[in-house]
Amino acid sequence: DSESQGLAALAVRTAQTRSSTPRVCWSRVCGCIDLAQMFFLALAAATFVAVLHIATAGDPQVAAGCDPDAAGCEANSEWDDIEMLQTKVHNRSAMDAASAYTYCQEHARVFAALAKLTYCGGLKGTDASVEKTCSSQGFCRLAGVEVKEGSTRSISLDDGDSLNALVAFVTKLVHVPGADRPLKPGCVAAIRGSWPGTNNFDRNLQETLVPVAFGSCTTCAVHEGFQEIWKILMPAIVSDLEAVGCDKSTPLYLTGHSLGGAVATIGMYVLKMEGWDVQHSYVFHNPKVGNSAWLADFNTLLGGSPSAAAVTRITHARDEIAALPFRVSLTYGLYFYTWPEVHYFHDPVGDTDINSTEHDGTNRGSMFQVCWGSRDCGVLRYSQLHDMFSYSDHLMSPLAPNHDFAIFEDNSATCLQGAGITENRRLQVNSVPAYSQLVTMASEVKAEETACIDGWRRAYDCQPKFTVRGIQVDGCFAVGSGPAWCSLDTQYTWRWNTCTPCGGRANWD
């Protein structure tokens, strides 16, 4: 079938990149890494060169750009036992961008947890699990945020004949006190990666660079399949953002893993053009998105200059997906990476206690580089990469709960019962190839079919019938031409979710 053909085509790819072993340094660092301070330390001792290596020295906390007297420094140094931090840039413009950039692991962990929860497939426990994971269970508190109660809305859409192929959710982050460098509160749209049994893998292979469907850049081109997915998701995401109280003036983040990260990157670009207050966001293990003209336009639109850091792209080990696609267009040229790339190596294995935490979302032994185009840094440094059909690199991450983007300690409890992510320890499945993990997840967390009634399909967690204002509603409630919604309770109170178009209804109009 088409999925098998797509998988076969994807499986035979190998990356052809140059390799060298980088010089490394070991240091204790704070949760947020201020690269500007690090550059000033390095530039005091070295002249500008084509490739700049930065090694921390002396007091490890001071060298990492962190005040050792600050409350966050001492606390974080307890769990950041050993972290490898190395920054490499390939030219002066990248150096300028790097000197103004701050990487914050605690912020990245918030979006890693949210990106992981998209793999619940929008099932009835998703919304409750998002709220519990990022509030009472504390995975987001070190970043100074939590999910506002009742603000999560799941989205599950068909892509042509492929049912429930596109999954996302929106939610709203509010401030909580106590963080050393808090994340700015705002709204989040998180998008799921490729899912077995859908046409996602066919979309991955629609690699032709095509003109952007939004904006006026005539030389900008992006991945055809990712752009088509965003065009389907965008009306639902915008509708649900507005439904939870987010407007264009609200800070907005987009995130996702794999295909979801690539689509989120396009979404950042489009929503910024539409006037939304899109923030610097974090995406995980995603393929490349567009050509050099698009990248310059993207960075300028979101960051103010062609070489600005508009999004942090996080990669892991020898994951091949981060190097795809390789296609060249005679009209639009090559695919280009977004920078910076924060590259994590395989985290230590063995003693469970080294990597275990309570519920604070932190991990010990995280080792990473911050890369700005140098070919001996990040995924570019490897001569051979690992595909997702034989290796686990694509799903493993020290940032994600359970060190894995797809599998939970208890899939049913998290995705169906709404228990949240209850444990943050390594799982035995971490060593299983990524695609096999996804197949297992898809077999255990199956989408529930809901009927298409009057052009609307209710969310999974809604009641098939409910009463509102004395009116008996079958499926979804709609007034005029506005969006439809459904109730989580048989007698409607305030708990509700949105409905999605079906049966030929094209949008929310």
Side-chain angles (χ1 to χ4, degrees):
D1 57 19
S2 61
E3 181 188 356
S4 299
Q5 294 172 357
L7 296 179
L10 194 60
V12 299
R13 298 166 181 242
T14 54
Q16 302 298 322
T17 57
R18 293 173 57 190
S19 171
S20 66
T21 302
R23 183 165 60 91
V24 301
C25 66
W26 300 89
S27 67
R28 204 177 269 165
V29 299
C30 282
C32 296
I33 313 305
D34 190 338
L35 299 182
Q37 298 177 48
M38 293 174 59
F39 267 92
F40 287 126
L41 288 171
L43 292 177
T47 59
F48 289 102
V49 291
V51 177
L52 177 67
H53 296 263
I54 296 177
T56 58
D59 184 300
Q61 293 180 336
V62 176
C66 205
D67 177 5
D69 295 324
C73 240
E74 182 177 357
N76 285 342
S77 68
E78 293 176 359
W79 54 262
D80 280 329
D81 268 354
I82 302 176
E83 296 201 354
M84 184 179 72
L85 174 63
Q86 180 186 47
T87 299
K88 291 189 175 184
V89 299
H90 74 289
N91 58 30
R92 178 58 184 267
S93 64
M95 184 181 299
D96 292 341
S99 67
Y101 172 74
T102 298
Y103 172 57
C104 190
Q105 286 196 113
E106 297 312 328
H107 296 181
R109 285 188 174 104
V110 170
F111 296 105
L114 296 176
K116 175 168 182 167
L117 285 160
T118 63
Y119 283 97
C120 275
L123 296 186
K124 61 185 180 181
T126 302
D127 296 358
S129 281
V130 170
E131 294 177 12
K132 290 179 182 178
T133 297
C134 207
S135 55
S136 61
Q137 288 161 355
F139 280 87
C140 303
R141 286 185 174 270
L142 289 179
V145 292
E146 67 179 16
V147 167
K148 181 181 179 181
E149 184 178 2
S151 70
T152 305
R153 301 287 182 269
S154 292
I155 298 165
S156 181
L157 300 177
D158 301 343
D159 184 2
D161 295 330
S162 187
L163 301 180
N164 304 308
L166 309 180
V167 169
F169 64 76
V170 304
T171 195
K172 194 168 189 177
L173 299 175
V174 294
H175 175 72
V176 293
D180 185 40
R181 295 193 184 185
L183 177 69
K184 181 188 295 185
C187 294
V188 181
I191 302 170
R192 188 182 69 182
S194 300
W195 192 248
T198 70
N199 67 350
N200 288 171
F201 290 94
D202 293 331
R203 289 294 195 191
N204 283 328
L205 292 174
Q206 292 177 335
E207 296 175 346
T208 302
L209 281 165
V210 297
V212 291
F214 307 87
S216 58
C217 179
T218 58
T219 57
C220 295
V222 295
H223 187 286
E224 179 182 13
F226 301 154
Q227 179 165 253
E228 288 303 310
I229 289 174
W230 174 252
K231 287 161 67 175
I232 297 171
L233 280 172
M234 180 176 168
I237 287 176
V238 169
S239 176
D240 279 7
L241 284 171
E242 293 171 344
V244 300
C246 305
D247 58 30
K248 290 185 177 181
S249 67
T250 309
L252 175 63
Y253 304 92
L254 287 91
T255 191
H257 169 263
S258 191
L259 172 147
V263 175
T265 304
I266 292 178
M268 292 176 64
Y269 178 69
V270 175
L271 291 178
K272 183 66 174 180
M273 283 192 294
E274 294 287 323
W276 289 80
D277 185 18
V278 178
Q279 302 292 302
H280 184 101
S281 301
Y282 297 79
V283 291
F284 304 89
H285 308 187
N286 56 286
K288 291 174 280 189
V289 172
N291 67 349
S292 60
W294 174 84
L295 178 60
D297 202 42
F298 173 76
N299 288 338
T300 301
L301 183 66
L302 283 102
S305 73
S307 60
V311 63
T312 294
R313 178 174 54 90
I314 296 175
T315 61
H316 175 250
R318 294 176 179 261
D319 176 24
E320 179 189 51
I321 302 302
L324 297 174
F326 304 128
R327 182 184 290 267
V328 179
S329 167
L330 294 178
T331 304
Y332 295 108
L334 298 167
Y335 277 92
F336 274 66
Y337 293 98
T338 60
W339 305 107
E341 171 194 0
V342 175
H343 181 71
Y344 283 83
F345 296 83
H346 275 300
D347 27 56
V349 296
D351 188 349
T352 303
D353 291 338
I354 293 177
N355 297 290
S356 66
T357 67
E358 296 299 323
H359 300 292
D360 60 1
T362 60
N363 296 284
R364 296 178 181 265
S366 305
M367 301 178 292
F368 63 89
Q369 295 174 308
V370 182
C371 308
W372 296 82
S374 177
R375 293 192 64 83
D376 61 348
C377 188
V379 294
L380 291 178
R381 68 185 288 266
Y382 301 109
S383 60
Q384 293 188 3
L385 299 177
H386 291 167
D387 65 72
M388 66 182 293
F389 306 98
S390 304
Y391 301 92
S392 62
D393 302 41
H394 185 54
L395 287 180
M396 287 185 64
S397 171
L399 297 175
N402 307 121
H403 294 237
D404 193 292
F405 269 106
I407 304 295
F408 301 90
E409 176 79 9
D410 187 330
N411 295 331
S412 178
T414 299
C415 299
L416 295 174
Q417 300 168 27
I421 299 174
T422 56
E423 298 289 344
N424 191 27
R425 59 171 177 256
R426 283 181 175 276
L427 306 177
Q428 289 294 114
V429 76
N430 286 155
S431 60
V432 174
Y435 186 73
S436 297
Q437 290 188 47
L438 291 173
V439 170
T440 298
M441 187 67 176
S443 68
E444 295 183 7
V445 183
K446 295 182 179 180
E448 301 173 13
E449 294 296 330
T450 59
C452 182
I453 302 173
D454 296 330
W456 297 102
R457 178 178 288 117
R458 64 179 172 83
Y460 297 127
D461 52 355
C462 282
Q463 297 293 326
K465 296 180 184 294
F466 64 94
T467 302
V468 56
R469 301 173 188 169
I471 302 173
Q472 180 74 27
V473 178
D474 187 1
C476 297
F477 185 82
V479 178
S481 61
W485 54 272
C486 53
S487 174
L488 304 187
D489 305 297
T490 55
Q491 295 289 330
Y492 171 70
T493 55
W494 60 273
R495 294 168 15 97
W496 58 280
N497 208 335
T498 49
C499 296
T500 54
C502 61
R505 186 187 293 270
N507 52 45
W508 272 252
D509 295 334

